[in-house]
Amino acid sequence: MLVVVFGVGLLANAQLIRTEDLEKYAKDKYGDEWVEAAENLGKELQLDKNQALTFVQVIEAPGKSKSDLYVLLNYWYTSFFTDSKNVIDLNDKEAGVIIGKCYLDGVAEHVGGFMRYKVSISPIIKCDIKDGKVRVTCTVPFYYAEKVVGGGWVGIAADVETTKDDEIKEKWALDASYPFFAKDKHKKASSKALIMSHAYSNVIMDKIEESIKNGVSGNENDDW
């Protein structure tokens, strides 16, 4: 488990996280040599007991009650989870827990000899709320992969037309993905998926902290 406290800047003011914007942020931070970046980052990370990537940050909110923070975070989740693929799975005011699941399409793509791969992620964002503080946990349990047989360079060169029957959908376990598994045959795609997952967690932490400290829309105050 890794505690992440990074500033993001680039995506801090927008509620919608677009893959292309996240990739630009990731390149600015890690460079565009994804395998090398994943190898370096892998030295700092470890998978949790469920073999998932988990990032945790405790955000201090002095003077704000559990009830205040619950309302504010509900507003944030409602504003952020506007896409049909983003869902709130649990909302418990008494326990002070909100859990949502996001979906980010196509964080990594790779064209090989015979296969084309597209990798997506579905991070789980959990907020535990107490008086004066919020613990944010962002978890990536696995990678979603779509493989197209015949969609690689050989198929492109031979002008092969692929159909839905050529598509294979998989879940890639993180402990079988690079850099946690050195012999991963999807090394390039897994490397970029790791970097994008880490970047996503940084952005989410920054967005939630900004909302807690300054409000979701910036006009939440008692002077109205």
Side-chain angles (χ1 to χ4, degrees), residues 96-214:
V97 179
I98 308 174
I99 301 175
K101 185 185 296 181
C102 303
Y103 186 81
L104 199 62
D105 185 56
V107 297
E109 295 190 25
H110 177 67
V111 179
F114 293 94
M115 296 277 193
R116 183 173 75 247
Y117 304 91
K118 183 178 80 168
V119 183
S120 304
I121 57 173
S122 185
I124 300 166
I125 304 170
K126 179 186 179 189
C127 286
D128 295 294
I129 308 164
K130 292 183 177 181
D131 288 337
K133 65 175 62 177
V134 176
R135 182 178 63 191
V136 184
T137 305
C138 182
T139 301
V140 178
F142 44 75
Y143 303 139
Y144 289 97
E146 297 178 21
K147 301 196 302 186
V148 179
V149 180
W153 293 116
V154 174
I156 294 172
D159 199 23
V160 173
E161 291 188 14
T162 59
T163 68
K164 287 287 184 181
D165 294 333
D166 299 312
E167 296 179 6
I168 302 172
K169 294 185 178 182
E170 300 177 336
K171 289 181 181 178
W172 290 354
L174 271 71
D175 61 345
S177 300
Y178 193 80
F180 307 106
F181 181 64
K183 295 182 180 180
D184 178 13
K185 62 182 179 181
H186 312 113
K187 187 174 183 178
K188 292 183 179 180
S190 296
S191 293
K192 187 176 179 183
L194 173 69
I195 297 301
M196 293 287 277
S197 296
H198 192 263
Y200 187 88
S201 74
N202 289 346
V203 172
I204 287 296
M205 301 294 184
D206 190 81
K207 284 179 176 291
I208 293 177
E209 183 173 17
E210 168 67 19
S211 297
I212 288 172
K213 292 182 176 179
N214 299 311

Side-chain angles (χ1 to χ4, degrees), residues 39-68:
E39 182 180 358
N40 292 333
L41 185 59
K43 297 173 184 176
E44 304 173 17
L45 301 176
Q46 60 181 11
L47 301 178
D48 65 19
K49 66 178 184 179
N50 298 312
Q51 303 304 313
L53 275 171
T54 297
F55 308 97
V56 181
Q57 180 179 344
V58 176
I59 301 171
E60 301 292 337
K64 293 183 179 178
S65 68
K66 177 180 176 181
S67 179
D68 292 337

